[in-house]
Amino acid sequence: MIDIHCHILPNIDDGARDIYDTLEMALMAVNSGVKAIVATPHCNVPWSEPNYYGHTYREALRKAREAIKQERMPIKILSGMEVFVTFDLPDLIREGKILTINHSDYLLTEFDFDEDPEFVDIMVERLCEMGIRPIIAHPERYEFIKEDITAAKRLVKAGCVLQLNKGSFLGRNGSRSEKTAFELVKNNLAGIVASDAHGTMSRTPYLLEARRAIKDICDTNLLFETNPQKICTNQTL
């Protein structure tokens, strides 16, 4: 499996607190069958540190890769970000402040949970016009999709990939998010399932439990292996 959404870099956001957390998270991922993780710290969140691409990110990525290599863990750490979408995001991309997933055309994006769907549509269109392929993180948690699943269909038709969170299938994001996550899978709207892991006690990188939860209703190879692999190698889904 490949986990394209994981807050595994040490001391850069609300994920791994230090390199020891990073190592524990990596080991947990390995034990669940994960072969590669895209390190995706929060970026461009209005009420937090911007965490744009630069020295801090590069150093955290280097430390994580080096520590995992020293421990001889059979897992790769790829670059990326979970980018909060603001109106100036296209400018930030042009300025080189934003990282796509493993330097591909795919960008992991998130919106406010109460975001206006019209704003989402506008920004998706602007990103697609730039040649960016938006991956919408945890769409099952957005109110406008919980209320009307046709909004998710519209996003997929516009060129987005929907990335569902592991925890939603396990009821950890509330019953409405759980119901929406299963509906998205059953309607063939889900593109990927990822951990969105932040630690080792809760919201963990142990992906296998989510794979087991949906194994009878979809092609789990597609959601956990094939599509993530294509994203990381910049192929069309």
Side-chain angles (χ1 to χ4, degrees), residues 162-174:
L162 304 188
Q163 176 262 299
L164 278 59
N165 274 11
K166 176 196 83 168
S168 295
F169 295 106
L170 308 174
R172 294 171 185 166
N173 294 314

Side-chain angles (χ1 to χ4, degrees), residues 117-184:
E118 183 177 356
F119 175 75
V120 176
D121 291 342
I122 290 171
M123 294 310 299
V124 163
E125 183 178 2
R126 292 183 69 193
L127 291 172
C128 288
E129 287 174 349
M130 296 178 66
I132 297 292
R133 301 177 183 180
I135 299 174
I136 309 296
H138 40 65
E140 74 278 9
R141 302 183 70 185
Y142 300 137
E143 287 301 317
F144 73 95
I145 291 180
K146 292 179 190 177
E147 293 172 0
D148 184 5
I149 198 172
T150 60
K153 295 179 181 179
R154 187 173 66 249
L155 289 173
V156 171
K157 187 176 181 179
C160 296
V161 180
L162 304 188
Q163 176 262 299
L164 278 59
N165 274 11
K166 176 196 83 168
S168 295
F169 295 106
L170 308 174
R172 294 171 185 166
N173 294 314
S175 59
R176 291 181 68 214
S177 290
E178 180 180 9
K179 178 183 177 183
T180 303
F182 277 98
E183 285 182 356
L184 290 170

Side-chain angles (χ1 to χ4, degrees), residues 55-183:
H55 174 76
T56 300
Y57 180 94
R58 290 192 297 269
E59 186 64 11
L61 183 64
R62 183 194 66 78
K63 286 181 178 179
R65 285 173 169 170
E66 186 175 281
I68 288 169
K69 182 180 180 180
Q70 287 179 351
E71 294 297 320
R72 298 182 179 179
M73 292 187 195
I75 191 167
K76 293 181 179 180
I77 305 297
L78 308 176
S79 60
M81 293 174 167
E82 180 186 16
V83 183
F84 193 94
V85 179
T86 53
F87 196 74
D88 62 343
L89 178 56
D91 293 331
L92 296 173
I93 294 171
R94 283 188 283 265
E95 292 167 8
K97 295 181 178 179
I98 303 298
L99 273 182
T100 56
I101 291 182
N102 200 32
H103 304 285
S104 69
D105 294 332
Y106 292 94
L107 180 66
L108 182 64
T109 63
E110 69 167 334
F111 294 86
D112 190 281
F113 291 152
D114 294 314
E115 190 61 85
D116 179 354
E118 183 177 356
F119 175 75
V120 176
D121 291 342
I122 290 171
M123 294 310 299
V124 163
E125 183 178 2
R126 292 183 69 193
L127 291 172
C128 288
E129 287 174 349
M130 296 178 66
I132 297 292
R133 301 177 183 180
I135 299 174
I136 309 296
H138 40 65
E140 74 278 9
R141 302 183 70 185
Y142 300 137
E143 287 301 317
F144 73 95
I145 291 180
K146 292 179 190 177
E147 293 172 0
D148 184 5
I149 198 172
T150 60
K153 295 179 181 179
R154 187 173 66 249
L155 289 173
V156 171
K157 187 176 181 179
C160 296
V161 180
L162 304 188
Q163 176 262 299
L164 278 59
N165 274 11
K166 176 196 83 168
S168 295
F169 295 106
L170 308 174
R172 294 171 185 166
N173 294 314
S175 59
R176 291 181 68 214
S177 290
E178 180 180 9
K179 178 183 177 183
T180 303
F182 277 98
E183 285 182 356

